[in-house]
Amino acid sequence: MKYVRFEKNNQTFFGLLEGEQISQLKGDFLKDQAKPTGDTFSLSEVKLLPPVEPGQIIAIGLNYALHAEESGKPIPEEPMMFMVSPTAVVGDGEAISLPNLDNRIDYEAELAVVIGKQAKDVKKENALDYVFGYTTCNDVSDRNLQKKDGQFTRAKSYATFKPLGPVIETSLNPNKLEIKLTVNGEIKQHSNTDDLIHDVETVIEKVTEVMTLNPGDIIITGTPSGVGPLKPGDQVELEVEGIGILRNSVVDGTQISADQATNANLKA
Ligand code: MG
């Protein structure tokens, strides 16, 4: 099942996507046994929103061997976890706004796990029982700030730095999914989640040893090798098998603030 959030006439709705058609649901699919209202929309007549508004975003670093190697870092023995701000999330079709053109700001294709029920001290054997579904996240990262700060919060939390979507797919094996990212049609990252050093179940076990996860929280599971910089004008497409394609353009954020941003999503 492919769940979506969407906007129509300045209102937010929840829905189920089948082909090009959305069946509207009565409530938030994460909270309610959301039943169809009977209303349907075609995908082209609505604006898709991020499929979830996460309370927490837990990120896993260096979780693909070749990416650890390209970063010049040893493979972590345990999932290396950090947190980024949920206010960085934007949806499919929205712009990634670069706040500083002198810094190197990279794309990072990732599988995102959406938590479905409260989880603490979960064992990996039943970790997937706590998952609602899966989406994709581009973990956009300012490498200069990452290096300067020695940690990730500032480098990865700017507004628009966490494109998420386009849908949450509930029926997937998360550990065997092709993952691909293109910039302007050119393949930059291409891997499979079967290359994850710490699989989704292990990551959930390790994260919930430490903290409680709530419905709607997401874990972004790390990026494969091939990361590289973005520049204004780029078109980024992130595809995870079974989920779909998350499309975002890249804009000059310094210019946008100078122009007093007309796009409401960039003002937020
Ligand atoms: Mg990452």
Side-chain angles (χ1 to χ4, degrees):
M1 308 262 260
K2 287 184 163 59
Y3 287 94
V4 292
R5 284 172 69 245
F6 63 98
E7 189 181 291
K8 173 94 179 154
N9 302 327
N10 292 319
Q11 278 186 283
T12 299
F13 299 102
F14 300 86
L16 211 44
L17 178 68
E18 288 161 283
E20 296 292 303
Q21 182 169 282
I22 297 171
S23 303
Q24 192 187 322
L25 297 172
K26 276 178 182 153
D28 183 345
F29 47 75
L30 277 163
K31 294 184 186 138
D32 313 314
Q33 292 281 18
K35 295 206 166 53
T37 61
D39 292 329
T40 59
F41 301 96
S42 84
L43 196 52
S44 58
E45 62 179 325
V46 307
K47 173 179 155 46
L48 284 185
L49 298 171
V52 60
E53 291 183 298
Q56 306 185 86
I57 302 176
I58 295 90
I60 307 301
L62 305 174
N63 204 17
Y64 288 81
L66 287 176
H67 174 60
E69 191 180 303
E70 77 181 351
S71 307
K73 300 272 170 39
I75 290 172
E77 280 176 31
E78 294 184 286
M80 195 274 279
M81 60 188 88
F82 57 94
M83 297 183 74
V84 294
S85 174
T87 59
V89 168
V90 288
D92 180 57
E94 292 192 62
I96 298 163
S97 176
L98 305 184
N100 185 341
L101 299 185
D102 295 329
N103 289 0
R104 174 171 158 166
I105 299 175
D106 282 5
Y107 54 80
E108 289 191 355
E110 308 204 8
L111 172 71
V113 178
V114 182
I115 297 298
K117 57 182 176 184
Q118 195 172 75
K120 179 74 174 74
D121 297 318
V122 168
K123 294 295 165 213
K124 63 178 170 186
E125 291 71 30
N126 55 5
L128 298 188
D129 297 347
Y130 294 82
V131 173
F132 180 79
Y134 305 91
T135 186
T136 79
C137 183
N138 188 346
D139 180 19
V140 176
S141 306
D142 183 320
R143 299 296 181 215
N144 296 64
L145 294 181
Q146 203 172 321
K147 204 169 278 180
K148 189 174 179 183
D149 293 354
Q151 51 104 317
F152 306 129
T153 306
R154 182 162 70 140
K156 290 173 179 272
S157 294
Y158 278 99
T160 77
F161 272 26
K162 292 294 157 283
L164 192 70
V167 308
I168 300 172
E169 170 60 61
T170 53
S171 311
L172 281 180
N173 170 1
N175 296 310
K176 202 165 179 38
L177 299 173
E178 190 179 354
I179 180 165
K180 187 168 84 174
L181 183 141
T182 66
V183 177
N184 305 323
E186 191 182 321
I187 295 177
K188 300 290 190 180
Q189 294 185 283
H190 195 181
S191 185
N192 192 292
T193 59
D194 64 8
D195 284 338
L196 283 168
I197 296 165
H198 303 290
D199 65 15
V200 167
E201 292 91 331
T202 304
V203 164
I204 292 171
E205 175 176 293
K206 287 302 195 177
V207 170
T208 64
E209 262 178 30
V210 180
M211 65 186 93
T212 301
L213 297 179
N214 289 309
D217 287 348
I218 63 171
I219 302 174
I220 60 176
T221 52
T223 198
S225 60
V227 298
L230 295 169
K231 60 180 188 316
D234 284 345
Q235 302 292 328
V236 186
E237 293 194 356
L238 196 181
E239 181 170 13
V240 174
E241 182 182 356
I243 297 171
I245 304 176
L246 175 68
R247 295 181 173 86
N248 300 95
S249 55
V250 180
V251 299
D252 176 353
T254 59
Q255 194 56 43
I256 283 177
S257 40
D259 293 346
Q260 295 294 307
T262 50
N263 182 335
N265 292 309
L266 293 176
K267 275 197 278 187

